């Protein structure tokens, strides 16, 4: 049975803690419109994302003496009732995903393995947070959660759900964006599986592992052949996986084949990641930033990891932050001393970059030009991403930036329903006149970008939303955002009878599929 996630009920003595947590979340909401360059990790990614969450197993307060653990654990853990915390099987896969998955398009996937001798519900708050940011999460567990097969089992479960017409995840998982993750023994499992990440692609050519996340990984994992960008998180007060032990002795140093990062969260124990109250889960914001960097190409999140001025070393809650030479190259392979796209030259991207303002408008490249699955290319810069495909608009490249870029990413990038961009971004003056936007210079009254199969419109009051198909046709006849309906205030959603509808500032438009 699929269930909507709900906050755990708290005993009365926890009222003070609940009030403090609400204050933290309120601070996150207040900061939502602030300049992301001035915000820290906890402010940007410490709260929930924009999606309500559904999950395949309900959680309850764990029974017995193991319900509370860790110096900072002040509320009961959550459990899904697997043995020995209940009568359920200790072997299986459970799923967390955006409740509005039909509107999200194809979502990136995370395969997560928990710690040894744990119930998957221990991680409920963290996994719900990941899904609220637009990820589909498979939690694969067998009580030991130690070896690489855990990740393969989770991926097989995702594929089964994707192919099942009765599943809400049918056709909604983007297997070109897979992140392998885990904590404790499960963190070791994720690293072991990452060594053989190319096997995922060999099993199915559509599978691509784009990153790895190991939270306090166990000691059994070697990392010599990991080919994917990897983040390892340690905790300063961890007595199970002591900071500075095997992670520093051999796991991080052996990560030489791909970009790698390691950071130690201050004043945190091994089990604080299991806190049922998200605001007390100290590692969650760094994990979300990493997941959004490798899984969604989020330009705000990537600033903590990419570029010469990467922000993670300046985070006050982290110590001993490092990255390897491959990570430096990841940022600088197409840097100021090298022509744009030098590693995989794209004349279209280079020409579009220069025509729209070059480094003054878009900043430095964050990576070399990369191939997309269907023969196109993209290249990220500090203030936007350029895309081109030889079969779209004669191969011309276009830029996508800011909140429109973030929304397009949620919808699946070029693999989503909108397809590739077919225009640069336009800014809308207060008089409704569309003017080409040269570079991304911040907020204007409104902006829009055109894609193969629709548009995305943004304003500060309404946020970014796609408009396409019959609804786009009807809206265009009324004068777009300057007409009777104004800006879209939500995404398209299905209606009874097979139609679709979408809310605008001054009304609702409907259409048949």
């Amino acid at each position: 049975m699929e269930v909507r996630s709900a906050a755990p009920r708290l005993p009365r003595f926890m009222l003070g803690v609940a009030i403090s947590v609400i204050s933290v979340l309120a601070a996150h909401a207040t900061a939502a419109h602030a300049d992301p360059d001035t915000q820290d990790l906890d402010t940007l990614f410490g709260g929930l994302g924009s999606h309500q969450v559904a999950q395949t197993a309900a959680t309850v307060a764990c029974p017995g003496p193991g319900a509370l653990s860790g110096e900072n654990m002040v509320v009961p853990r959550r459990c899904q009732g697997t043995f020995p915390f209940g009568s359920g099987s200790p072997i299986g896969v459970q799923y967390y995903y955006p409740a509005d998955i039909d509107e999200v398009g194809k979502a990136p996937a995370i395969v997560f393995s928990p710690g040894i001798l744990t119930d998957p519900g221990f991680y409920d708050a963290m996994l719900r947070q990941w899904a609220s940011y637009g990820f589909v999460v498979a939690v694969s567990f067998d009580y030991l959660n130690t070896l690489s097969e855990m990740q393969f089992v989770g991926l097989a479960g995702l594929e089964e759900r994707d192919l099942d017409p009765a599943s809400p995840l049918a056709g909604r998982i983007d297997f070109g964006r897979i992140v392998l993750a885990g904590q404790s023994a499960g963190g070791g499992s994720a690293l072991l599986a990452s060594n053989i990440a190319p096997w995922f692609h060999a099993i199915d050519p559509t599978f691509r592992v784009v990153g790895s996340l190991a939270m306090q990984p166990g000691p059994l994992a070697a990392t010599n052949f990991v080919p994917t960008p990897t983040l390892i998180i340690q905790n300063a007060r961890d007595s199970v996986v002591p900071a500075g032990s095997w992670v520093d002795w051999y796991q991080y140093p052996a990560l030489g084949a791909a970009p790698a990062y390691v950071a130690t969260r201050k004043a945190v124990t091994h089990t604080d990641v299991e806190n049922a109250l998200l605001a007390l889960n100290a590692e969650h914001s760094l994990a979300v930033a990493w997941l959004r960097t490798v899984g969604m190409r989020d330009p705000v999140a990537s600033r903590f990891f990419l570029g010469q001025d990467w922000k993670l070393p300046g985070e006050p809650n982290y110590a001993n932050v490092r990255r390897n030479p491959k990570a430096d190259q990841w940022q600088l392979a197409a840097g100021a001393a090298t022509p744009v796209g030098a590693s995989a030259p794209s004349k279209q991207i280079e020409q579009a970059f220069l025509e729209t303002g070059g480094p003054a408008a878009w900043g430095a490249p964050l990576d070399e030009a990369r191939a997309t699955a269907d023969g196109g290319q993209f290249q990220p810069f500090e203030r936007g991403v350029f895309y081109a495909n030889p079969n779209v608009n004669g191969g011309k490249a276009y830029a996508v930036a800011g909140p429109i870029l973030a929304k397009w990413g949620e919808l699946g990038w070029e693999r989503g329903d909108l397809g590739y961009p077919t225009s640069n971004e336009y800014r809308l003056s207060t008089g409704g006149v569309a003017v080409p936007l040269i570079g991304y210079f911040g907020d204007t009254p409104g902006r829009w970008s055109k894609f193969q199969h629709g548009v995305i419109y943004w304003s500060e009051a309404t946020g970014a939303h796609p408009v396409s198909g019959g609804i786009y046709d009807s809206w265009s006849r009324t004068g777009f955002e300057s007409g009777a309906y104004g800006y879209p205030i939500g995404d398209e959603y299905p209606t009874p009878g097979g139609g679709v509808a979408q809310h605008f500032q001054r009304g609702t438009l409907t259409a048949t599929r």
Side-chain angles (χ1 to χ4, degrees):
M1 179 181 68
E2 312 287 324
V3 297
R4 297 294 177 94
S5 61
R9 297 183 66 182
L10 302 177
R12 292 192 182 196
F13 75 88
M14 284 306 303
L15 181 59
V17 173
I19 291 173
S20 66
V21 170
I22 291 170
S23 299
V24 170
L25 297 179
H28 289 317
T30 302
H33 294 292
D35 181 358
D37 279 333
T38 66
Q39 295 175 292
D40 62 16
L41 274 171
D42 291 349
T43 302
L44 284 168
F45 303 112
L48 295 174
S50 61
H51 301 279
Q52 296 293 314
V53 175
Q55 58 197 86
T56 55
T59 61
V60 298
C62 293
L68 294 175
S69 178
E71 292 182 57
N72 298 337
M73 192 77 70
V74 294
V75 295
R77 285 167 159 163
R78 307 293 293 176
C79 279
Q80 292 181 0
T82 62
F83 181 83
F85 302 94
S87 58
S89 171
I91 303 172
V93 185
Q94 296 294 349
Y95 306 89
Y96 293 74
Y97 57 91
D100 58 344
I101 189 70
D102 286 340
E103 302 174 23
V104 170
K106 284 186 175 292
I110 302 168
V111 182
F112 177 81
S113 295
I116 194 169
L117 310 183
T118 63
D119 181 288
F122 286 6
Y123 303 87
D124 184 67
M126 181 183 73
L127 301 177
R128 284 190 292 113
Q129 186 199 30
W130 292 359
S132 78
Y133 277 93
F135 290 93
V136 174
V137 185
V139 190
S140 175
F141 54 95
D142 68 358
Y143 200 49
L144 296 179
N145 308 318
T146 300
L147 301 178
S148 59
E149 78 272 6
M150 299 309 304
Q151 305 289 322
F152 283 89
V153 169
L155 183 59
L158 284 171
E159 187 173 34
E160 181 180 7
R161 291 268 169 164
D162 189 69
L163 295 173
D164 181 2
S167 168
L169 298 178
R172 295 299 179 184
I173 301 172
D174 184 354
F175 289 99
R177 293 184 288 164
I178 301 168
V179 183
L180 306 182
Q183 192 262 346
S184 195
S189 167
L191 290 176
L192 285 171
S194 296
N195 281 281
I196 51 177
W199 291 14
F200 289 74
H201 186 73
I203 293 169
D204 188 319
T206 65
F207 291 176
R208 180 174 177 239
V209 178
V210 296
S212 306
L213 171 64
M215 309 166 79
Q216 307 89 53
L220 299 182
T223 58
N224 302 67
F225 303 106
V226 174
T228 57
T230 300
L231 170 66
I232 300 179
I233 303 176
Q234 304 183 93
N235 289 338
R237 297 170 66 180
D238 191 337
S239 59
V240 179
V241 180
S245 58
W246 50 82
V247 168
D248 285 347
W249 297 339
Y250 56 86
Q251 287 178 336
Y252 172 71
L255 285 165
Y261 300 77
V262 63
T264 300
R265 180 80 187 204
K266 299 176 182 178
V268 177
T269 70
H270 188 72
T271 57
D272 287 329
V273 70
E274 302 166 11
N275 263 304
L277 287 180
L278 184 63
L280 301 179
N281 181 332
E283 302 163 52
H284 56 294
S285 56
L286 178 56
V288 168
W290 178 251
L291 294 170
R292 288 185 64 85
T293 296
V294 296
M296 293 183 169
R297 307 173 193 158
D298 181 345
V300 174
S302 68
R303 292 172 189 169
F304 289 91
F305 307 99
L306 307 183
Q308 290 178 311
D309 298 324
W310 58 305
K311 296 175 60 178
L312 186 55
E315 282 292 302
N317 293 319
Y318 288 89
N320 202 19
V321 176
R322 289 157 286 158
R323 68 183 186 187
N324 69 0
K326 282 287 186 179
D328 293 331
Q329 295 170 14
W330 195 26
Q331 327 311 319
L332 304 176
T338 309
V340 176
S343 297
S346 168
K347 296 297 183 184
Q348 292 80 9
I349 289 179
E350 182 174 4
Q351 181 179 354
F353 172 76
L354 296 174
E355 288 178 350
T356 55
W362 299 106
L366 297 178
D367 198 356
E368 62 193 36
R370 300 280 185 176
T372 61
D374 57 357
Q377 280 191 324
F378 70 93
Q379 186 168 13
F381 293 80
E382 289 180 307
R383 292 188 286 275
V385 182
F386 283 79
Y387 271 79
N389 185 295
N391 299 315
V392 178
N393 273 20
K396 188 174 181 181
Y398 299 98
V400 191
I404 290 179
L405 174 64
K407 186 64 179 181
W408 186 49
E410 288 183 15
L411 299 173
W413 307 98
E414 76 282 354
R415 296 179 293 272
D417 292 339
L418 290 179
Y420 280 86
T422 56
S423 78
N424 288 317
E425 193 169 289
Y426 284 81
R427 65 178 183 269
L428 297 165
S429 69
T430 52
V433 178
V435 181
L437 185 64
I438 305 301
Y440 178 67
F441 294 112
D443 295 340
T444 60
R447 299 197 293 276
W448 65 275
S449 286
K450 187 175 181 180
F451 298 83
Q452 285 178 283
H453 309 299
V455 296
I456 296 178
Y457 269 70
W458 172 91
S459 77
E460 185 174 4
T462 59
H465 302 286
V467 189
S468 62
I471 290 178
Y472 175 83
D473 294 338
S474 298
W475 187 49
S476 68
R477 289 193 291 268
T478 68
F480 296 105
E481 80 290 339
S482 299
Y485 287 88
Y487 281 90
I489 60 173
D491 293 0
E492 182 182 283
Y493 61 91
T495 59
V500 291
Q502 187 167 5
H503 297 307
F504 292 77
Q505 286 176 304
R506 294 184 287 276
T508 301
L509 290 171
T510 60
T512 57
R513 285 193 182 273

